[in-house]
Amino acid sequence: MISCTQFIPLYSEFFKYLEKRGGYDAVMEYWYYISDNSLGDKTNPNSLISFVERDGPFEGAINYWNHTLTEEACDILMIHDYEKRYSYNLMRHCPSRGMLNALDHIEPYHNYCEHCKVIYSRVLEKYGIVYERDHSKIDNAECSSILYEKGNRPNCDFTKPDGSQTVIDMKAEDNKYLHRDFHLLGDLALKYCGEKFGDEAVADFLQDYTNHFYSPQIADIKKRGLVAIKEWIEEIYKIEEAEDVLRTSLTEKELVITISKSPVIEYMHSLGQSPSKYYIEETQTLYATIAKACNLGFELEYYNDDGATKFRFFVK
C-alpha cells in the first residue's frame, strides 16, 4: 500500500512519466481525465461535482474546500463572502507542495501546481464559477485563489474582511494530514496508465517510482535487513490508522506480512467506489521491486477482493 500521506510524490512523478511519453500535451490530457473522472465523478459523494450539485455551485465549492483542506491539514486563511458571492483563500503553507519541496532525492514536477487550476476550473466553469489562482510563490509552498460567480468579480479588497464575511483561519497543527481520497487518485493514476499504455506500463512506472522515491528505505533495508521492512510497513499502517489489520512475523531469514483487510478498499467501498484491477500492484509490484533492489526474495501468497493479503520477504 502507498500511504495517502505519500500520494503527492507519486502524482508528481506520474506527471514526469507522462511528459516523457507524450510531452506536456500528455500531462494536460491526464489533468482533464482527473477532472472528469475524479472531481467530476457524480457517483463519489466526496467529489467536487457532488458538493456543487448538492449545495449549489458557489456554496458547494466552498464546502468542498472546507472539507478537503481540513483533511490536508493546510495552513490557510479562508474568507467567504456569501452576500457578494466570492471566496478568497490565502494558502500560507500547502503541505502537499511543501512535502515535494522538502524532498532531497526528488525534484517536483516543473509545473506541478498548475494542475490545481486546470482540474478545478474545468468542473466549476460548467456551473458559472470562475476560479483564479496566483502561483507566484509556489516555491515557498504558498499560493492564493479567488472564487466568484461569472460576471461578478469583486471590486473590493477581498484580502481584508470588514466583519460581514465568514473567516476561517486554519492552522496546520489544527488537523491531521490524512486525506484518504488521495488513495482514489493514486488508483486512478494506475488505471489511466494501464488503459492508456498497457499493463506493462503500470509495472514499469511503479518500478521506476519505487526505486526512486523509496531509495531511502531501500538503503535502510540494505543496511539493517528484514527488520527495516517490518518497521517501515508498520509505520505506514500506523499513519493510516489501520494498525489493527496488520500482523507481522519476523525471523532471521523471513518476514511474513498478513493483512486481514485493506483499509483503502474498505474506504473506497464506503464511498460506493471500487478499486481498479491495477490496485493490487501497490502491493505486488511495489514490494517485489523493493525486494529485488535489496537482493531479497518476495512472494505474494494471496490477495483477496477485500485486499486481505499475505506476502513474505526472505533471505535468498
Side-chain angles (χ1 to χ4, degrees), residues 210-212 214-223 289-290 293-294:
T210 300
N211 283 317
H212 192 190
Y214 293 112
S215 56
Q217 283 80 10
I218 290 171
D220 187 37
I221 294 165
K222 287 180 177 179
K223 181 179 179 181
T289 303
I290 292 285
C294 299

Side-chain angles (χ1 to χ4, degrees), residues 117-250:
K117 179 179 180 179
V118 172
I119 65 176
Y120 294 122
S121 294
R122 185 174 171 87
V123 173
L124 293 173
E125 64 186 9
K126 298 174 184 177
Y127 293 86
I129 301 295
V130 178
Y131 183 55
E132 297 179 2
R133 293 182 62 89
D134 180 356
H135 287 169
S136 60
K137 297 182 179 180
I138 56 175
D139 288 342
N140 294 322
E142 299 176 37
C143 68
S144 62
S145 64
I146 180 171
L147 191 79
Y148 59 92
E149 295 174 336
K150 187 176 181 180
N152 191 35
R153 195 182 196 281
N155 56 14
C156 58
D157 186 351
F158 42 78
T159 67
K160 296 179 180 179
D162 59 17
S164 63
Q165 299 87 353
T166 298
V167 178
I168 301 174
D169 191 353
M170 188 184 299
K171 308 294 185 183
E173 59 269 22
D174 294 339
N175 301 292
K176 182 176 182 179
Y177 184 77
L178 190 64
H179 186 46
R180 290 187 172 91
D181 287 351
F182 280 159
H183 283 302
L184 280 72
L185 285 167
D187 186 47
L188 191 65
L190 300 185
K191 179 182 178 183
Y192 181 85
C193 187
E195 293 180 349
K196 184 77 173 178
F197 305 115
D199 293 357
E200 290 185 1
V202 176
D204 289 343
F205 166 69
L206 277 176
Q207 287 164 5
D208 288 345
Y209 165 76
T210 300
N211 283 317
H212 192 190
F213 177 65
Y214 293 112
S215 56
Q217 283 80 10
I218 290 171
D220 187 37
I221 294 165
K222 287 180 177 179
K223 181 179 179 181
R224 298 196 296 127
L226 295 172
V227 68
I229 302 178
K230 176 179 179 291
E231 292 173 1
W232 172 48
I233 293 177
E234 286 175 341
E235 181 62 21
I236 290 173
Y237 280 80
K238 180 180 179 181
I239 290 171
E240 291 280 338
E241 299 179 346
E243 297 166 277
D244 59 317
V245 306
L246 176 68
R247 188 169 75 250
T248 64
S249 175
L250 175 65

